[in-house]
Amino acid sequence: MELVVKPDADAVGEVVADMIIALVARRPDAVIGLATGSTPLPTYRALAAAVGEGRASFADVRFVMLDEYVGLPEGHPESYRTVLEREALRPLGVTGDRLIGPTLSLPPEEIGPRYEERLAALGGVDLQLLGIGSDGHIGFNEPTSSLASRTRWKTLTQQTRDDNARFFDDPADVPRHVITQGLGTIGECGHAVLVATGAAKAEALTAAVEGPVSAACPASVLQFHPHVTVVADDAAAAGLQGLDYYRFTLANKPAWQPF
Ligand code: F6R
């Protein structure tokens, strides 16, 4: 894993945005996997600024969803499709039809396999943006998820429902079910970019990067991925035993180069 540590969430967002901009400059029709939640927002803001300044264009990019709530009415302000259209796509001048996600109208057992087929038809995901849950989840692969899991219907843990209650008027409104790309599915992306900011993520990030690969910390499966970049702020990186080593390594690299 490559680790990039920055002082704060905005600086993290700039680095991640630079990686995405470099990818799209190389491959204008790249397939980019988006995540929701608070962590990617500075990245989305930095991308929008780059578009505004004429430094990037996302006109030909195909975007895909990492996960989605099940059971919210279409167009609900907290459905992940709506959130991504509002926070990520519209500021980039991209319309919602370029965002590919699971078809929720299908019978539950068909949603995952059909979505996998669509991802495969796109030729796979070039870069997948990932946040990390305080319990170590990525996507909505909660602890005990199979490390080989595919896209499927899942039940959220109470901890994740509590974590996400801040987005809803009433905590009881947080859906209980989601569709999420599986850990095996995520593992097939070309470049996984795991972003973590804030002290609340320190324990999970340490387990993911330095702990044993285990379903107890689903993000730890990324240790098997051939191309992962972890971008964290100081607070989230604070628990990493190897931080001094990573800092030393980074300090002795020429400027960080996008892959
Ligand atoms: C969101 C997702 C989740 C979040 C994670 C962190 O699409 O898949 O895994 O990335 O719950 O959420 P935040 O960023 O809100 O702390």
Side-chain angles (χ1 to χ4, degrees):
M1 286 185 178
E2 177 178 52
L3 179 71
V4 181
V5 181
K6 290 283 167 182
D8 55 39
D10 283 338
V12 164
E14 294 287 342
V15 169
V16 177
D18 283 351
M19 266 184 251
I20 294 172
I21 291 166
L23 167 66
V24 173
R26 269 198 328 275
R27 192 175 305 170
D29 65 345
V31 178
I32 297 179
L34 300 177
T36 54
S38 306
T39 310
L41 296 179
T43 298
Y44 297 150
R45 284 197 290 273
L47 290 175
V51 169
E53 292 158 13
R55 290 190 286 119
S57 165
F58 291 86
D60 296 323
V61 169
R62 283 99 30 100
F63 294 96
V64 300
M65 295 176 67
L66 177 62
D67 45 15
E68 177 59 291
Y69 286 125
V70 173
L72 292 178
E74 205 180 315
H76 186 285
E78 292 309 324
S79 87
Y80 281 181
R81 170 169 287 280
T82 310
V83 169
L84 289 173
E85 287 184 12
R86 183 176 65 232
E87 307 287 353
L89 299 190
R90 217 169 296 148
L92 299 181
V94 172
T95 50
D97 55 307
R98 296 200 73 82
L99 177 65
I100 295 142
T103 308
L104 299 176
S105 56
L106 290 169
E109 67 281 7
E110 285 179 29
I111 300 175
R114 193 69 67 81
Y115 191 41
E116 295 256 347
E117 283 167 17
R118 295 187 73 193
L119 294 177
L122 291 171
V125 177
D126 293 304
L127 181 150
Q128 178 64 56
L129 203 49
L130 298 165
I132 183 169
S134 55
D135 60 2
H137 70 233
I138 52 174
F140 275 126
N141 297 282
E142 300 284 22
T144 73
S145 290
S146 160
L147 300 182
S149 51
R150 308 304 305 184
T151 304
R152 68 218 183 284
W153 174 295
K154 288 285 286 180
T155 302
L156 291 181
T157 61
Q158 192 54 44
Q159 181 174 351
T160 298
R161 292 188 72 231
D162 292 346
D163 283 352
N164 289 3
R166 67 191 190 280
F167 295 114
F168 291 81
D169 293 337
D170 181 343
D173 293 343
V174 181
R176 293 178 185 279
H177 301 287
V178 290
I179 295 289
T180 182
Q181 285 190 34
L183 295 172
T185 318
I186 293 168
E188 288 168 5
C189 73
H191 182 192
V193 181
L194 178 67
V195 187
T197 51
K201 300 297 174 65
E203 201 177 320
L205 190 69
T206 303
V209 174
E210 296 182 341
V213 174
S214 159
C217 177
S220 65
V221 75
L222 294 172
Q223 293 179 31
F224 286 138
H225 193 289
H227 188 182
V228 179
T229 307
V230 176
V231 190
D233 67 0
D234 282 330
L240 294 169
Q241 301 284 316
L243 196 55
D244 287 343
Y245 166 74
Y246 303 135
R247 283 194 201 288
F248 174 81
T249 310
L250 286 171
N252 286 286
K253 260 179 132 179
W256 177 79
Q257 295 291 321
F259 289 93

